[in-house]
Amino acid sequence: MLTLGIETSCDETAAAIVDENGLVLSDVVHTQVEIHARYGGVVPELASRDHLNNIVPVYRAALERAGKRLRDIDGIAVTCKPGLSGALLVGMQMAQGLAWAAQKPIVGVDHLVGHLLAVFLRTPEQPAIELEFPFLALLVSGGHTALYRVEGRDALQITELGATRDDAAGEAFDKVAKLAGLGYPGGPIIDRLAREGHAGRVPLAMPMQRQRSLEFSFSGLKSDVARWLEANGPLSNDQLLRDLCASFQHNVVETLLSSTFRAAKKEGLRSIVLAGGVAANRSLRARAHAYAERHGMRVVVPPAAHCTDNAAMIALAGSHRLARGENQRGQLEMSPHTQLARVTRKGAGPR
Ligand code: KG4
Ligand code: ZN
């Protein structure tokens, strides 16, 4: 059974074809990074327009690379939440047009569920990962940072345990890079610079953590970087910049991982999955394995290309629903919000 996935929720136009075992036949991603880079963040209207320009060629490339025609596809899965409204609508219109024209079933997928299930994708080079439900997942992306208990593939089987009160971890990377004049997106740039820096040399606040709370907050750390830059910048010393990146990254990574492992213990879960764009961070990946060894737990991290936005994870998240006969033709609803139940209140207040 072949599923066509379509993803346009933010700044990547993506289409992919995946079979019922999660094997990726094609995975095409057109990134808009260059368009948004000069603004230091995603500009929604520019995102929608660029999706419109690229959705058809990206879809065609996905079919071509898989060596398939539309008639070979058994169903369509499209991201319909959460994300930028105008951007989501482009992918949804495309998917609904195809479903209508070719008489294919269609399902709407929550982008966060896609990220959480990306660990089950496989390629000829990357064999299937043995992983059973339930597991604990840390989802860290540009728009979301949260811990989940994942009992199965359906959205109703996924429970949020705690999320960020303010900035997402990826957003913090992007904002700090902008403050330091490093470019966009900040995550990969800071990741690279931090490798040659020393975390101890720039004293930054550790994000607040409470023993009983599984919520995160990154805005204080970001403000601390802003204050430090004001007092010490503009940075002409390359080494100091690298030290700043290392220190910031260290604090983010340690905060994420200490809460993740605390959550796993609390939930009695021994398998931990990292998901979302920030899971591509090399320090986070390496430190997660070190934590796992210390705690006698297992950490599974998908390859970087499956962590950042892609349509293969969307196809996979829709395929089991299509397989059981679900069809939402004419009933898809776009929303900027996730359908996953949330327990974290945004903003300040006691935790
Ligand atoms: O999951 P994703 O591709 O899109 C969203 O759904 O948000 O995540 C994008 C985020 C950006 O904030 C980017 O800076 C961050 O992931 N990111 C990284 C790395 N690669 C991407 N953050 C830290 N280290 C990286 N290597
Ligand atoms: Zn994402």
Side-chain angles (χ1 to χ4, degrees):
M1 195 196 115
L2 298 181
T3 303
L4 166 68
I6 292 183
E7 152 68 40
T8 61
S9 67
C10 191
D11 59 348
E12 261 92 32
T13 314
I17 295 170
V18 170
D19 80 3
E20 70 280 8
N21 298 315
L23 181 69
V24 180
L25 276 70
S26 66
D27 182 7
V28 181
V29 180
H30 164 82
T31 177
Q32 304 179 350
V33 158
E34 275 175 32
I35 293 173
H36 303 293
R38 55 191 289 218
Y39 303 100
V42 179
V43 182
E45 185 54 33
L46 295 182
S48 321
R49 287 189 214 170
D50 198 65
H51 284 309
L52 266 179
N53 287 337
N54 289 291
I55 187 70
V56 173
V58 164
Y59 152 74
R60 289 202 175 125
L63 280 182
E64 197 178 307
R65 286 185 206 172
K68 301 290 174 192
R69 317 270 304 257
L70 181 55
R71 62 165 178 260
D72 304 323
I73 302 298
D74 298 286
I76 300 172
V78 60
T79 308
C80 62
K81 62 187 70 157
L84 303 169
S85 309
L88 285 165
L89 285 174
V90 175
M92 290 175 66
Q93 294 301 338
M94 176 74 187
Q96 288 176 117
L98 291 171
W100 182 82
Q103 294 294 302
K104 304 286 182 189
I106 182 170
V107 290
V109 169
D110 189 296
H111 181 85
L112 304 190
V113 177
H115 274 304
L116 293 172
L117 299 181
V119 65
F120 295 112
L121 288 173
R122 53 195 181 113
T123 59
E125 302 82 45
Q126 165 89 29
I129 292 172
E130 291 289 324
L131 177 70
E132 282 174 18
F133 296 109
F135 58 78
L136 185 104
L138 169 68
L139 171 54
V140 265
S141 73
H144 301 271
T145 293
L147 288 162
Y148 294 97
R149 181 184 176 93
V150 184
E151 299 267 355
R153 288 169 189 254
D154 285 308
L156 288 174
Q157 294 174 290
I158 300 173
T159 318
E160 185 198 291
L161 304 169
T164 179
R165 279 294 190 97
D166 38 61
D167 292 346
E171 194 178 354
F173 270 96
D174 296 339
K175 286 180 177 171
V176 163
K178 192 174 177 180
L179 284 170
L182 294 176
Y184 173 85
I189 303 171
I190 291 180
D191 188 349
R192 202 175 57 241
L193 291 172
R195 276 200 293 171
E196 292 150 18
H198 297 279
R201 290 201 193 138
V202 173
L204 294 175
M206 213 32 153
M208 190 171 53
Q209 279 188 306
R210 300 259 158 80
Q211 276 310 310
R212 274 184 302 144
S213 169
L214 291 173
E215 294 177 354
F216 301 100
S217 168
F218 294 106
S219 66
L221 175 59
K222 178 194 63 194
S223 306
D224 213 28
V225 172
R227 274 192 296 271
W228 189 88
L229 279 168
E230 219 165 39
N232 297 275
L235 293 178
S236 48
N237 178 338
D238 282 355
Q239 189 54 47
L240 204 52
L241 181 63
R242 291 181 168 85
D243 293 344
L244 172 70
C245 290
S247 182
F248 164 76
Q249 180 172 279
H250 170 84
N251 286 13
V252 173
V253 166
E254 296 306 313
T255 304
L256 288 171
L257 292 177
S258 68
S259 292
T260 301
F261 281 80
R262 203 148 41 82
K265 257 192 202 145
K266 203 167 153 188
E267 292 291 313
L269 299 172
R270 308 209 65 78
S271 297
I272 295 170
V273 170
L274 303 190
V278 183
N281 184 272
R282 276 167 291 192
S283 167
L284 179 65
R285 297 164 89 96
R287 294 288 299 144
H289 289 293
Y291 266 72
E293 206 163 298
R294 190 172 350 127
H295 288 86
M297 294 186 190
R298 178 179 175 223
V299 165
V300 188
V301 196
H306 294 163
C307 288
T308 48
D309 284 352
N310 65 84
M313 67 184 193
I314 303 303
L316 179 73
S319 66
H320 71 285
R321 292 168 48 203
L322 289 161
R324 68 182 177 218
E326 231 181 277
N327 186 3
Q328 296 181 299
R329 188 126 64 91
Q331 300 155 22
L332 283 191
E333 272 181 34
M334 183 276 289
S335 169
H337 306 293
T338 177
Q339 76 187 98
L340 298 180
R342 296 213 298 243
V343 297
T344 302
R345 276 183 305 125
K346 290 272 177 180
R351 300 202 284 174

